[in-house]
Amino acid sequence: MSEAGKINILSQLFLNEELSNDNSRSLTERLSKAKKAGLQKLIIWSVRPEYLSSLVSICRGVGISPHLWYPMLADAPVDFDTDAFKIVRTLDDGRSEILESQKAGGEEFEFLCPNKVRQEEAFLSRFEEILGLADFDGVFLDRIRFPSPANGIGEMLTCFCDTCKEMSSATGSAFEEAVHGFVKKLGSKIGMDEVLETLKEFYRITGEFLEFRKSSVLQLLASYADRARNLGLEVGVDLFSPSLRNIVSQDYERISRHVDWMKPMVYCKTMGPAGLPMELLSLAKILVEHASRLSEREALEIIGELTGLLLPESFDEIRMEGIDQKNYELELNKIDQMNLNPVTRIFPGFEAVNLPPVCSVGLEEVRNYVDATLRKGHDGFVLSWDIRHISDAILEYVGDRFE
């Protein structure tokens, strides 16, 4: 069935190696094939910014629109020391679940405080400098959030730097007190029902500070988006899946007023940061580690009740199989209920790569994602997250589907 003319197809490129002549030829061949499959935009992240101009030239040469992929609060491509800008935690515990293989590849996921970053003009100047390295059509803002469950509870429940304390006034102190009270209550050998109520109560009493976090993220995003738009660039943004958006303080509705398009990361088969399996498993582990009476099944049941997602009963199952792809459509349903800017477009992102141990997705899973995207009436999607690791079979399927 041809559905030509209706669908915007995007993908991404993460380059953490040398752009040799062989790599350039290989990428040109891959993008030529992707262009024939309907790829219109490529979102580009090069760990070495000096390669951006060449990468954009390759895109232009095959007729694909290049967009800069810019991580803002973790792994930001700045040329100065950022230790003084890191988030400050109040809890000493909390184990990161981020894979060593990802860290070795250039993604540390060590987060900076959005309020400290916003006060330092050097970050925005560096953003403009990198935008000026190549002829981009747009920019894609990533990692504009607070740390997620994958970073551990200590980093997830932040920030307690002097800047945040001063800006949030009494609500920061109240949040810090609530965090310690929350952890203490979880450790008091309570059962499943009490854990669920403890979680709900924590979010009730910390609502004001959580709103402060959302505003902190929004103000920083708005300053970068405005700067990009002043340069005539289209602005997109990477967002956590709807069920987890509040945990990382991303307000879809307010963010939609500042960008041209949004990519919800609804990854059902990814054991990496932002992947629903890793984030949900990390949450469940936090509950089991702090509420010792809780079983794996009970922890996942609690999270399922709070999120409305369909989850397996064991940690091994979620680790090995991910979560049911039916959750993809459930997440898109939540977006339908939001009061978004009507002119801001939604291009859902789903994994389409074979990159074990983080993700191994085949043609059947991609077909399921595409079918659900079309059923929900979206006119585009992002094949995530590295075009070089998307199989020929998947590209051929997309090309045949939308030729």
Side-chain angles (χ1 to χ4, degrees), residues 22-316:
D22 286 344
N23 285 340
S24 294
R25 282 193 295 270
S26 176
L27 180 60
T28 301
E29 292 172 3
R30 167 60 39 169
L31 292 182
S32 296
K33 184 171 292 187
K35 174 64 176 178
K36 292 178 182 177
L39 182 68
Q40 296 159 345
K41 299 177 183 179
L42 186 69
I43 304 159
I44 304 167
W45 178 351
S46 174
V47 172
R48 295 172 61 176
E50 61 265 29
Y51 291 146
L52 288 171
S53 179
S54 296
L55 292 169
V56 166
S57 294
I58 292 172
C59 285
R60 296 288 184 200
V62 299
I64 292 174
S65 174
H67 292 241
L68 174 66
W69 182 356
Y70 197 84
M72 294 178 62
L73 289 174
D75 305 305
V78 296
D79 52 1
F80 52 88
D81 185 76
T82 59
D83 282 351
F85 299 91
K86 289 182 179 178
I87 56 165
V88 175
R89 51 199 287 172
T90 188
L91 296 176
D92 291 331
D93 60 346
R95 183 181 69 243
S96 171
E97 298 292 334
I98 296 168
L99 301 178
E100 290 302 321
S101 60
Q102 289 182 284
K103 294 181 180 180
E107 297 181 276
E108 292 287 341
F109 287 93
E110 292 184 352
F111 276 80
L112 308 180
C113 169
N115 292 308
K116 283 185 175 180
V117 168
R118 185 161 57 90
Q119 291 182 352
E120 178 50 69
E121 181 66 26
F123 283 95
L124 198 52
S125 296
R126 178 62 171 167
F127 174 62
E128 284 191 310
E129 179 184 343
I130 291 182
L131 281 174
L133 292 177
D135 179 25
F136 293 105
D137 290 335
V139 63
F140 179 65
L141 303 176
D142 189 10
R143 300 184 192 176
I144 175 63
R145 59 178 176 86
F146 280 89
S148 69
N151 285 85
I153 188 173
E155 293 188 23
M156 180 177 71
L157 300 177
T158 52
C159 172
F160 299 98
C161 71
D162 291 341
T163 301
C164 284
K165 286 181 177 180
E166 181 179 349
M167 292 178 65
S168 64
S169 188
T171 61
S173 298
F175 182 65
E176 188 168 11
E177 182 179 339
V179 166
H180 286 279
F182 168 67
V183 172
K184 184 177 180 181
K185 182 68 179 294
L186 284 181
S188 62
K189 299 188 182 302
I190 56 179
M192 177 179 168
D193 291 341
E194 292 168 294
V195 170
L196 182 58
E197 286 307 311
T198 299
L199 287 166
K200 291 178 178 178
E201 177 63 16
F202 175 72
Y203 278 99
R204 279 195 295 268
I205 66 176
T206 59
E208 192 173 350
F209 188 78
L210 296 178
E211 282 301 312
F212 164 74
R213 294 198 344 159
K214 289 180 183 179
S215 295
S216 301
V217 166
L218 182 71
Q219 290 175 53
L220 181 64
L221 181 147
S223 65
Y224 278 64
D226 289 348
R227 192 67 61 95
R229 282 177 155 174
N230 288 339
L231 295 171
L233 299 174
E234 182 179 271
V235 179
V237 63
D238 222 8
L239 297 176
F240 255 49
S241 201
S243 288
L244 300 177
R245 69 190 187 279
N246 290 325
I247 290 178
V248 296
S249 299
Q250 289 181 326
D251 187 325
Y252 271 57
E253 295 183 354
R254 286 191 283 175
I255 287 173
S256 74
R257 270 68 184 171
H258 295 277
V259 299
D260 298 295
W261 60 276
M262 309 196 311
K263 174 202 159 195
M265 296 180 282
V266 191
Y267 304 151
C268 295
K269 303 295 180 182
T270 295
M271 279 302 296
L276 283 167
M278 172 171 275
E279 299 295 351
L280 296 167
L281 180 59
S282 298
L283 269 180
K285 284 184 175 181
I286 288 170
L287 291 181
V288 168
E289 288 168 3
H290 288 83
S292 58
R293 287 180 54 189
L294 214 59
S295 68
E296 293 184 6
R297 181 189 60 77
E298 289 172 330
L300 290 168
E301 189 174 328
I302 287 171
I303 294 169
E305 180 168 340
L306 292 173
T307 61
L309 297 175
L310 305 173
L311 303 183
E313 294 188 350
S314 73
F315 289 3
D316 279 345

Side-chain angles (χ1 to χ4, degrees), residues 14-25:
F14 175 68
L15 185 73
N16 62 350
E17 62 207 61
E18 181 183 358
L19 186 61
S20 63
N21 289 335
D22 286 344
N23 285 340
S24 294
R25 282 193 295 270

